[in-house]
PDB file of all heavy atoms in Angstrom:
ATOM      1  N   PRO A 208      -6.156  -5.044  -6.948  1.00 90.00           N
ATOM      2  CA  PRO A 208      -7.130  -4.828  -8.031  1.00 90.00           C
ATOM      3  C   PRO A 208      -8.073  -6.023  -8.169  1.00 90.00           C
ATOM      4  O   PRO A 208      -7.668  -7.178  -8.045  1.00 90.00           O
ATOM      5  CB  PRO A 208      -6.235  -4.678  -9.272  1.00 90.00           C
ATOM      6  CG  PRO A 208      -4.945  -4.150  -8.727  1.00 90.00           C
ATOM      7  CD  PRO A 208      -4.767  -4.823  -7.402  1.00 90.00           C
ATOM      8  N   LYS A 209      -9.353  -5.733  -8.386  1.00 86.00           N
ATOM      9  CA  LYS A 209     -10.417  -6.717  -8.596  1.00 86.00           C
ATOM     10  C   LYS A 209     -10.764  -7.500  -7.325  1.00 86.00           C
ATOM     11  O   LYS A 209     -11.477  -8.493  -7.382  1.00 86.00           O
ATOM     12  CB  LYS A 209     -10.062  -7.688  -9.739  1.00 86.00           C
ATOM     13  CG  LYS A 209      -9.813  -6.997 -11.075  1.00 86.00           C
ATOM     14  CD  LYS A 209      -9.510  -7.990 -12.177  1.00 86.00           C
ATOM     15  CE  LYS A 209      -9.224  -7.259 -13.489  1.00 86.00           C
ATOM     16  NZ  LYS A 209      -8.929  -8.212 -14.598  1.00 86.00           N
ATOM     17  N   SER A 210     -10.259  -7.051  -6.198  1.00 87.00           N
ATOM     18  CA  SER A 210     -10.572  -7.696  -4.930  1.00 87.00           C
ATOM     19  C   SER A 210     -11.924  -7.208  -4.403  1.00 87.00           C
ATOM     20  O   SER A 210     -12.527  -6.272  -4.945  1.00 87.00           O
ATOM     21  CB  SER A 210      -9.490  -7.381  -3.897  1.00 87.00           C
ATOM     22  OG  SER A 210      -9.496  -5.982  -3.618  1.00 87.00           O
ATOM     23  N   THR A 211     -12.383  -7.834  -3.322  1.00 89.00           N
ATOM     24  CA  THR A 211     -13.638  -7.405  -2.706  1.00 89.00           C
ATOM     25  C   THR A 211     -13.527  -5.978  -2.180  1.00 89.00           C
ATOM     26  O   THR A 211     -14.462  -5.180  -2.329  1.00 89.00           O
ATOM     27  CB  THR A 211     -14.023  -8.352  -1.559  1.00 89.00           C
ATOM     28  OG1 THR A 211     -14.219  -9.664  -2.089  1.00 89.00           O
ATOM     29  CG2 THR A 211     -15.294  -7.899  -0.871  1.00 89.00           C
ATOM     30  N   THR A 212     -12.383  -5.640  -1.573  1.00 92.00           N
ATOM     31  CA  THR A 212     -12.233  -4.279  -1.054  1.00 92.00           C
ATOM     32  C   THR A 212     -12.213  -3.256  -2.192  1.00 92.00           C
ATOM     33  O   THR A 212     -12.733  -2.143  -2.051  1.00 92.00           O
ATOM     34  CB  THR A 212     -10.952  -4.153  -0.199  1.00 92.00           C
ATOM     35  OG1 THR A 212      -9.833  -4.682  -0.926  1.00 92.00           O
ATOM     36  CG2 THR A 212     -11.111  -4.893   1.115  1.00 92.00           C
ATOM     37  N   HIS A 213     -11.624  -3.622  -3.332  1.00 93.00           N
ATOM     38  CA  HIS A 213     -11.656  -2.745  -4.510  1.00 93.00           C
ATOM     39  C   HIS A 213     -13.103  -2.555  -4.973  1.00 93.00           C
ATOM     40  O   HIS A 213     -13.542  -1.435  -5.274  1.00 93.00           O
ATOM     41  CB  HIS A 213     -10.810  -3.370  -5.623  1.00 93.00           C
ATOM     42  CG  HIS A 213     -10.598  -2.471  -6.798  1.00 93.00           C
ATOM     43  ND1 HIS A 213     -10.186  -2.949  -8.031  1.00 93.00           N
ATOM     44  CD2 HIS A 213     -10.761  -1.133  -6.962  1.00 93.00           C
ATOM     45  CE1 HIS A 213     -10.074  -1.945  -8.874  1.00 93.00           C
ATOM     46  NE2 HIS A 213     -10.424  -0.827  -8.253  1.00 93.00           N
ATOM     47  N   MET A 214     -13.852  -3.643  -5.000  1.00 93.00           N
ATOM     48  CA  MET A 214     -15.240  -3.593  -5.442  1.00 93.00           C
ATOM     49  C   MET A 214     -16.083  -2.678  -4.554  1.00 93.00           C
ATOM     50  O   MET A 214     -16.814  -1.813  -5.048  1.00 93.00           O
ATOM     51  CB  MET A 214     -15.840  -4.993  -5.474  1.00 93.00           C
ATOM     52  CG  MET A 214     -17.294  -5.042  -5.933  1.00 93.00           C
ATOM     53  SD  MET A 214     -17.929  -6.752  -6.059  1.00 93.00           S
ATOM     54  CE  MET A 214     -18.101  -7.160  -4.313  1.00 93.00           C
ATOM     55  N   VAL A 215     -15.969  -2.849  -3.238  1.00 95.00           N
ATOM     56  CA  VAL A 215     -16.821  -2.042  -2.361  1.00 95.00           C
ATOM     57  C   VAL A 215     -16.409  -0.571  -2.394  1.00 95.00           C
ATOM     58  O   VAL A 215     -17.260   0.320  -2.249  1.00 95.00           O
ATOM     59  CB  VAL A 215     -16.838  -2.584  -0.911  1.00 95.00           C
ATOM     60  CG1 VAL A 215     -17.428  -3.979  -0.882  1.00 95.00           C
ATOM     61  CG2 VAL A 215     -15.482  -2.544  -0.253  1.00 95.00           C
ATOM     62  N   ASP A 216     -15.136  -0.287  -2.607  1.00 97.00           N
ATOM     63  CA  ASP A 216     -14.709   1.115  -2.737  1.00 97.00           C
ATOM     64  C   ASP A 216     -15.344   1.769  -3.954  1.00 97.00           C
ATOM     65  O   ASP A 216     -15.848   2.901  -3.884  1.00 97.00           O
ATOM     66  CB  ASP A 216     -13.184   1.199  -2.836  1.00 97.00           C
ATOM     67  CG  ASP A 216     -12.492   1.071  -1.484  1.00 97.00           C
ATOM     68  OD1 ASP A 216     -13.194   0.967  -0.462  1.00 97.00           O
ATOM     69  OD2 ASP A 216     -11.243   1.075  -1.459  1.00 97.00           O
ATOM     70  N   LEU A 217     -15.318   1.063  -5.085  1.00 96.00           N
ATOM     71  CA  LEU A 217     -15.917   1.620  -6.304  1.00 96.00           C
ATOM     72  C   LEU A 217     -17.436   1.751  -6.174  1.00 96.00           C
ATOM     73  O   LEU A 217     -18.025   2.729  -6.650  1.00 96.00           O
ATOM     74  CB  LEU A 217     -15.554   0.751  -7.512  1.00 96.00           C
ATOM     75  CG  LEU A 217     -14.090   0.824  -7.977  1.00 96.00           C
ATOM     76  CD1 LEU A 217     -13.842  -0.153  -9.120  1.00 96.00           C
ATOM     77  CD2 LEU A 217     -13.733   2.245  -8.417  1.00 96.00           C
ATOM     78  N   MET A 218     -18.059   0.787  -5.543  1.00 96.00           N
ATOM     79  CA  MET A 218     -19.504   0.871  -5.325  1.00 96.00           C
ATOM     80  C   MET A 218     -19.841   2.050  -4.417  1.00 96.00           C
ATOM     81  O   MET A 218     -20.854   2.743  -4.617  1.00 96.00           O
ATOM     82  CB  MET A 218     -20.021  -0.446  -4.719  1.00 96.00           C
ATOM     83  CG  MET A 218     -19.948  -1.626  -5.682  1.00 96.00           C
ATOM     84  SD  MET A 218     -20.403  -3.225  -4.920  1.00 96.00           S
ATOM     85  CE  MET A 218     -22.197  -3.097  -4.889  1.00 96.00           C
ATOM     86  N   LEU A 219     -19.004   2.297  -3.428  1.00 97.00           N
ATOM     87  CA  LEU A 219     -19.220   3.431  -2.535  1.00 97.00           C
ATOM     88  C   LEU A 219     -19.094   4.749  -3.289  1.00 97.00           C
ATOM     89  O   LEU A 219     -19.944   5.645  -3.146  1.00 97.00           O
ATOM     90  CB  LEU A 219     -18.214   3.398  -1.384  1.00 97.00           C
ATOM     91  CG  LEU A 219     -18.262   4.610  -0.457  1.00 97.00           C
ATOM     92  CD1 LEU A 219     -19.575   4.638   0.322  1.00 97.00           C
ATOM     93  CD2 LEU A 219     -17.066   4.626   0.487  1.00 97.00           C
ATOM     94  N   LEU A 220     -18.029   4.894  -4.086  1.00 97.00           N
ATOM     95  CA  LEU A 220     -17.841   6.131  -4.840  1.00 97.00           C
ATOM     96  C   LEU A 220     -19.023   6.391  -5.772  1.00 97.00           C
ATOM     97  O   LEU A 220     -19.489   7.528  -5.907  1.00 97.00           O
ATOM     98  CB  LEU A 220     -16.536   6.081  -5.647  1.00 97.00           C
ATOM     99  CG  LEU A 220     -15.225   6.008  -4.866  1.00 97.00           C
ATOM    100  CD1 LEU A 220     -14.040   6.224  -5.799  1.00 97.00           C
ATOM    101  CD2 LEU A 220     -15.191   7.005  -3.723  1.00 97.00           C
ATOM    102  N   LYS A 221     -19.502   5.320  -6.406  1.00 96.00           N
ATOM    103  CA  LYS A 221     -20.662   5.450  -7.284  1.00 96.00           C
ATOM    104  C   LYS A 221     -21.880   5.935  -6.507  1.00 96.00           C
ATOM    105  O   LYS A 221     -22.612   6.825  -6.958  1.00 96.00           O
ATOM    106  CB  LYS A 221     -20.960   4.106  -7.954  1.00 96.00           C
ATOM    107  CG  LYS A 221     -22.105   4.162  -8.957  1.00 96.00           C
ATOM    108  CD  LYS A 221     -22.294   2.803  -9.632  1.00 96.00           C
ATOM    109  CE  LYS A 221     -23.452   2.846 -10.618  1.00 96.00           C
ATOM    110  NZ  LYS A 221     -23.660   1.526 -11.272  1.00 96.00           N
ATOM    111  N   LYS A 222     -22.093   5.401  -5.329  1.00 96.00           N
ATOM    112  CA  LYS A 222     -23.227   5.811  -4.504  1.00 96.00           C
ATOM    113  C   LYS A 222     -23.098   7.271  -4.086  1.00 96.00           C
ATOM    114  O   LYS A 222     -24.082   8.027  -4.090  1.00 96.00           O
ATOM    115  CB  LYS A 222     -23.312   4.925  -3.261  1.00 96.00           C
ATOM    116  CG  LYS A 222     -24.432   5.351  -2.311  1.00 96.00           C
ATOM    117  CD  LYS A 222     -24.360   4.671  -0.975  1.00 96.00           C
ATOM    118  CE  LYS A 222     -25.418   5.248  -0.034  1.00 96.00           C
ATOM    119  NZ  LYS A 222     -25.355   4.669   1.325  1.00 96.00           N
ATOM    120  N   LEU A 223     -21.892   7.700  -3.723  1.00 96.00           N
ATOM    121  CA  LEU A 223     -21.669   9.069  -3.260  1.00 96.00           C
ATOM    122  C   LEU A 223     -21.626  10.080  -4.404  1.00 96.00           C
ATOM    123  O   LEU A 223     -21.655  11.287  -4.173  1.00 96.00           O
ATOM    124  CB  LEU A 223     -20.360   9.149  -2.470  1.00 96.00           C
ATOM    125  CG  LEU A 223     -20.297   8.367  -1.153  1.00 96.00           C
ATOM    126  CD1 LEU A 223     -18.885   8.419  -0.577  1.00 96.00           C
ATOM    127  CD2 LEU A 223     -21.300   8.918  -0.151  1.00 96.00           C
ATOM    128  N   GLY A 224     -21.523   9.569  -5.635  1.00 96.00           N
ATOM    129  CA  GLY A 224     -21.428  10.473  -6.782  1.00 96.00           C
ATOM    130  C   GLY A 224     -20.021  10.994  -6.999  1.00 96.00           C
ATOM    131  O   GLY A 224     -19.821  12.000  -7.689  1.00 96.00           O
ATOM    132  N   TYR A 225     -19.026  10.296  -6.435  1.00 96.00           N
ATOM    133  CA  TYR A 225     -17.633  10.682  -6.602  1.00 96.00           C
ATOM    134  C   TYR A 225     -16.976   9.843  -7.693  1.00 96.00           C
ATOM    135  O   TYR A 225     -17.414   8.729  -7.996  1.00 96.00           O
ATOM    136  CB  TYR A 225     -16.847  10.466  -5.302  1.00 96.00           C
ATOM    137  CG  TYR A 225     -17.217  11.394  -4.169  1.00 96.00           C
ATOM    138  CD1 TYR A 225     -16.886  11.073  -2.858  1.00 96.00           C
ATOM    139  CD2 TYR A 225     -17.884  12.596  -4.393  1.00 96.00           C
ATOM    140  CE1 TYR A 225     -17.213  11.907  -1.798  1.00 96.00           C
ATOM    141  CE2 TYR A 225     -18.217  13.441  -3.352  1.00 96.00           C
ATOM    142  CZ  TYR A 225     -17.884  13.093  -2.056  1.00 96.00           C
ATOM    143  OH  TYR A 225     -18.206  13.923  -1.008  1.00 96.00           O
ATOM    144  N   THR A 226     -15.914  10.376  -8.277  1.00 94.00           N
ATOM    145  CA  THR A 226     -15.107   9.625  -9.231  1.00 94.00           C
ATOM    146  C   THR A 226     -13.719   9.432  -8.632  1.00 94.00           C
ATOM    147  O   THR A 226     -13.414   9.960  -7.554  1.00 94.00           O
ATOM    148  CB  THR A 226     -14.971  10.370 -10.572  1.00 94.00           C
ATOM    149  OG1 THR A 226     -14.152  11.547 -10.353  1.00 94.00           O
ATOM    150  CG2 THR A 226     -16.335  10.788 -11.108  1.00 94.00           C
ATOM    151  N   GLU A 227     -12.868   8.728  -9.342  1.00 91.00           N
ATOM    152  CA  GLU A 227     -11.502   8.529  -8.855  1.00 91.00           C
ATOM    153  C   GLU A 227     -10.670   9.799  -9.007  1.00 91.00           C
ATOM    154  O   GLU A 227      -9.523   9.844  -8.572  1.00 91.00           O
ATOM    155  CB  GLU A 227     -10.859   7.341  -9.563  1.00 91.00           C
ATOM    156  CG  GLU A 227     -11.493   6.020  -9.171  1.00 91.00           C
ATOM    157  CD  GLU A 227     -10.790   4.811  -9.738  1.00 91.00           C
ATOM    158  OE1 GLU A 227      -9.575   4.656  -9.466  1.00 91.00           O
ATOM    159  OE2 GLU A 227     -11.430   4.023 -10.449  1.00 91.00           O
ATOM    160  N   ASN A 228     -11.249  10.833  -9.630  1.00 95.00           N
ATOM    161  CA  ASN A 228     -10.615  12.144  -9.622  1.00 95.00           C
ATOM    162  C   ASN A 228     -10.922  12.873  -8.318  1.00 95.00           C
ATOM    163  O   ASN A 228     -10.159  13.747  -7.890  1.00 95.00           O
ATOM    164  CB  ASN A 228     -11.104  12.992 -10.804  1.00 95.00           C
ATOM    165  CG  ASN A 228     -10.617  12.468 -12.136  1.00 95.00           C
ATOM    166  OD1 ASN A 228      -9.498  11.959 -12.237  1.00 95.00           O
ATOM    167  ND2 ASN A 228     -11.450  12.565 -13.168  1.00 95.00           N
ATOM    168  N   ASP A 229     -12.056  12.520  -7.710  1.00 97.00           N
ATOM    169  CA  ASP A 229     -12.435  13.134  -6.431  1.00 97.00           C
ATOM    170  C   ASP A 229     -11.763  12.441  -5.251  1.00 97.00           C
ATOM    171  O   ASP A 229     -11.375  13.079  -4.267  1.00 97.00           O
ATOM    172  CB  ASP A 229     -13.957  13.052  -6.237  1.00 97.00           C
ATOM    173  CG  ASP A 229     -14.734  13.794  -7.310  1.00 97.00           C
ATOM    174  OD1 ASP A 229     -14.347  14.942  -7.624  1.00 97.00           O
ATOM    175  OD2 ASP A 229     -15.711  13.227  -7.836  1.00 97.00           O
ATOM    176  N   VAL A 230     -11.664  11.120  -5.346  1.00 97.00           N
ATOM    177  CA  VAL A 230     -11.058  10.311  -4.288  1.00 97.00           C
ATOM    178  C   VAL A 230      -9.980   9.435  -4.926  1.00 97.00           C
ATOM    179  O   VAL A 230     -10.253   8.702  -5.878  1.00 97.00           O
ATOM    180  CB  VAL A 230     -12.107   9.416  -3.590  1.00 97.00           C
ATOM    181  CG1 VAL A 230     -11.446   8.576  -2.504  1.00 97.00           C
ATOM    182  CG2 VAL A 230     -13.243  10.248  -3.017  1.00 97.00           C
ATOM    183  N   THR A 231      -8.777   9.493  -4.413  1.00 97.00           N
ATOM    184  CA  THR A 231      -7.689   8.683  -4.954  1.00 97.00           C
ATOM    185  C   THR A 231      -7.721   7.293  -4.335  1.00 97.00           C
ATOM    186  O   THR A 231      -7.601   7.135  -3.115  1.00 97.00           O
ATOM    187  CB  THR A 231      -6.318   9.332  -4.658  1.00 97.00           C
ATOM    188  OG1 THR A 231      -6.295  10.651  -5.208  1.00 97.00           O
ATOM    189  CG2 THR A 231      -5.198   8.503  -5.265  1.00 97.00           C
ATOM    190  N   LEU A 232      -7.920   6.289  -5.191  1.00 97.00           N
ATOM    191  CA  LEU A 232      -7.911   4.904  -4.720  1.00 97.00           C
ATOM    192  C   LEU A 232      -6.496   4.335  -4.826  1.00 97.00           C
ATOM    193  O   LEU A 232      -5.831   4.494  -5.855  1.00 97.00           O
ATOM    194  CB  LEU A 232      -8.875   4.049  -5.538  1.00 97.00           C
ATOM    195  CG  LEU A 232     -10.367   4.387  -5.416  1.00 97.00           C
ATOM    196  CD1 LEU A 232     -11.205   3.403  -6.215  1.00 97.00           C
ATOM    197  CD2 LEU A 232     -10.810   4.378  -3.952  1.00 97.00           C
ATOM    198  N   VAL A 233      -6.049   3.680  -3.765  1.00 96.00           N
ATOM    199  CA  VAL A 233      -4.685   3.161  -3.712  1.00 96.00           C
ATOM    200  C   VAL A 233      -4.714   1.655  -3.468  1.00 96.00           C
ATOM    201  O   VAL A 233      -5.281   1.188  -2.475  1.00 96.00           O
ATOM    202  CB  VAL A 233      -3.881   3.833  -2.579  1.00 96.00           C
ATOM    203  CG1 VAL A 233      -2.465   3.263  -2.524  1.00 96.00           C
ATOM    204  CG2 VAL A 233      -3.858   5.346  -2.769  1.00 96.00           C
ATOM    205  N   ALA A 234      -4.105   0.893  -4.386  1.00 95.00           N
ATOM    206  CA  ALA A 234      -3.967  -0.558  -4.205  1.00 95.00           C
ATOM    207  C   ALA A 234      -2.743  -0.796  -3.328  1.00 95.00           C
ATOM    208  O   ALA A 234      -1.604  -0.695  -3.784  1.00 95.00           O
ATOM    209  CB  ALA A 234      -3.813  -1.253  -5.546  1.00 95.00           C
ATOM    210  N   ALA A 235      -2.980  -1.121  -2.058  1.00 93.00           N
ATOM    211  CA  ALA A 235      -1.877  -1.223  -1.098  1.00 93.00           C
ATOM    212  C   ALA A 235      -1.158  -2.561  -1.156  1.00 93.00           C
ATOM    213  O   ALA A 235      -0.023  -2.683  -0.696  1.00 93.00           O
ATOM    214  CB  ALA A 235      -2.401  -0.979   0.314  1.00 93.00           C
ATOM    215  N   GLY A 236      -1.834  -3.596  -1.709  1.00 91.00           N
ATOM    216  CA  GLY A 236      -1.207  -4.906  -1.788  1.00 91.00           C
ATOM    217  C   GLY A 236      -1.572  -5.832  -0.647  1.00 91.00           C
ATOM    218  O   GLY A 236      -1.096  -6.969  -0.590  1.00 91.00           O
ATOM    219  N   GLY A 237      -2.408  -5.372   0.253  1.00 86.00           N
ATOM    220  CA  GLY A 237      -2.824  -6.207   1.376  1.00 86.00           C
ATOM    221  C   GLY A 237      -3.245  -5.347   2.553  1.00 86.00           C
ATOM    222  O   GLY A 237      -3.010  -4.131   2.570  1.00 86.00           O
ATOM    223  N   ILE A 238      -3.873  -5.965   3.542  1.00 85.00           N
ATOM    224  CA  ILE A 238      -4.372  -5.224   4.692  1.00 85.00           C
ATOM    225  C   ILE A 238      -3.224  -4.654   5.528  1.00 85.00           C
ATOM    226  O   ILE A 238      -3.242  -3.487   5.935  1.00 85.00           O
ATOM    227  CB  ILE A 238      -5.275  -6.116   5.566  1.00 85.00           C
ATOM    228  CG1 ILE A 238      -6.450  -6.644   4.737  1.00 85.00           C
ATOM    229  CG2 ILE A 238      -5.782  -5.334   6.768  1.00 85.00           C
ATOM    230  CD1 ILE A 238      -7.277  -5.583   4.064  1.00 85.00           C
ATOM    231  N   SER A 239      -2.219  -5.479   5.797  1.00 89.00           N
ATOM    232  CA  SER A 239      -1.083  -4.999   6.599  1.00 89.00           C
ATOM    233  C   SER A 239      -0.403  -3.814   5.936  1.00 89.00           C
ATOM    234  O   SER A 239      -0.050  -2.830   6.602  1.00 89.00           O
ATOM    235  CB  SER A 239      -0.070  -6.127   6.811  1.00 89.00           C
ATOM    236  OG  SER A 239      -0.616  -7.160   7.582  1.00 89.00           O
ATOM    237  N   ALA A 240      -0.252  -3.918   4.621  1.00 93.00           N
ATOM    238  CA  ALA A 240       0.369  -2.812   3.890  1.00 93.00           C
ATOM    239  C   ALA A 240      -0.497  -1.565   3.955  1.00 93.00           C
ATOM    240  O   ALA A 240       0.023  -0.437   4.067  1.00 93.00           O
ATOM    241  CB  ALA A 240       0.604  -3.224   2.433  1.00 93.00           C
ATOM    242  N   SER A 241      -1.816  -1.733   3.904  1.00 93.00           N
ATOM    243  CA  SER A 241      -2.727  -0.588   4.006  1.00 93.00           C
ATOM    244  C   SER A 241      -2.549   0.129   5.335  1.00 93.00           C
ATOM    245  O   SER A 241      -2.485   1.362   5.403  1.00 93.00           O
ATOM    246  CB  SER A 241      -4.188  -1.048   3.879  1.00 93.00           C
ATOM    247  OG  SER A 241      -4.467  -1.528   2.588  1.00 93.00           O
ATOM    248  N   LEU A 242      -2.474  -0.648   6.411  1.00 95.00           N
ATOM    249  CA  LEU A 242      -2.327  -0.053   7.745  1.00 95.00           C
ATOM    250  C   LEU A 242      -0.989   0.667   7.879  1.00 95.00           C
ATOM    251  O   LEU A 242      -0.901   1.762   8.454  1.00 95.00           O
ATOM    252  CB  LEU A 242      -2.452  -1.141   8.807  1.00 95.00           C
ATOM    253  CG  LEU A 242      -3.809  -1.851   8.883  1.00 95.00           C
ATOM    254  CD1 LEU A 242      -3.757  -3.004   9.887  1.00 95.00           C
ATOM    255  CD2 LEU A 242      -4.923  -0.879   9.248  1.00 95.00           C
ATOM    256  N   THR A 243       0.062   0.054   7.320  1.00 95.00           N
ATOM    257  CA  THR A 243       1.385   0.683   7.368  1.00 95.00           C
ATOM    258  C   THR A 243       1.386   2.002   6.606  1.00 95.00           C
ATOM    259  O   THR A 243       1.936   3.017   7.077  1.00 95.00           O
ATOM    260  CB  THR A 243       2.450  -0.262   6.772  1.00 95.00           C
ATOM    261  OG1 THR A 243       2.484  -1.472   7.533  1.00 95.00           O
ATOM    262  CG2 THR A 243       3.826   0.380   6.789  1.00 95.00           C
ATOM    263  N   MET A 244       0.761   2.004   5.435  1.00 96.00           N
ATOM    264  CA  MET A 244       0.691   3.224   4.631  1.00 96.00           C
ATOM    265  C   MET A 244      -0.108   4.306   5.343  1.00 96.00           C
ATOM    266  O   MET A 244       0.239   5.492   5.293  1.00 96.00           O
ATOM    267  CB  MET A 244       0.074   2.917   3.265  1.00 96.00           C
ATOM    268  CG  MET A 244       0.969   2.103   2.353  1.00 96.00           C
ATOM    269  SD  MET A 244       0.157   1.688   0.768  1.00 96.00           S
ATOM    270  CE  MET A 244       0.104   3.301  -0.003  1.00 96.00           C
ATOM    271  N   MET A 245      -1.176   3.913   6.029  1.00 97.00           N
ATOM    272  CA  MET A 245      -1.977   4.902   6.750  1.00 97.00           C
ATOM    273  C   MET A 245      -1.170   5.499   7.903  1.00 97.00           C
ATOM    274  O   MET A 245      -1.213   6.713   8.145  1.00 97.00           O
ATOM    275  CB  MET A 245      -3.271   4.278   7.263  1.00 97.00           C
ATOM    276  CG  MET A 245      -4.190   5.289   7.945  1.00 97.00           C
ATOM    277  SD  MET A 245      -5.892   4.708   8.166  1.00 97.00           S
ATOM    278  CE  MET A 245      -5.652   3.399   9.379  1.00 97.00           C
ATOM    279  N   GLU A 246      -0.421   4.671   8.616  1.00 95.00           N
ATOM    280  CA  GLU A 246       0.412   5.170   9.711  1.00 95.00           C
ATOM    281  C   GLU A 246       1.452   6.163   9.198  1.00 95.00           C
ATOM    282  O   GLU A 246       1.797   7.128   9.885  1.00 95.00           O
ATOM    283  CB  GLU A 246       1.109   3.998  10.415  1.00 95.00           C
ATOM    284  CG  GLU A 246       0.191   3.089  11.213  1.00 95.00           C
ATOM    285  CD  GLU A 246      -0.497   3.826  12.352  1.00 95.00           C
ATOM    286  OE1 GLU A 246       0.125   4.727  12.954  1.00 95.00           O
ATOM    287  OE2 GLU A 246      -1.671   3.505  12.634  1.00 95.00           O
ATOM    288  N   ALA A 247       1.941   5.913   7.962  1.00 95.00           N
ATOM    289  CA  ALA A 247       2.967   6.784   7.387  1.00 95.00           C
ATOM    290  C   ALA A 247       2.381   8.007   6.692  1.00 95.00           C
ATOM    291  O   ALA A 247       3.126   8.858   6.195  1.00 95.00           O
ATOM    292  CB  ALA A 247       3.809   5.988   6.395  1.00 95.00           C
TER     293      ALA A 247
END
C-alpha cells in the first residue's frame, strides 16, 4: 500500500475509467510474492 506500484495501478484504473470493483487490486507484499501468486 502507498507504494509506487500501487500509485501507478490506481492512476491506470482512473485513466481507463475502471474502479476497484471492476479490477481487483492485490497487495502482494513484494515483487517476488507477486510473481509467486501469479504462477499459482
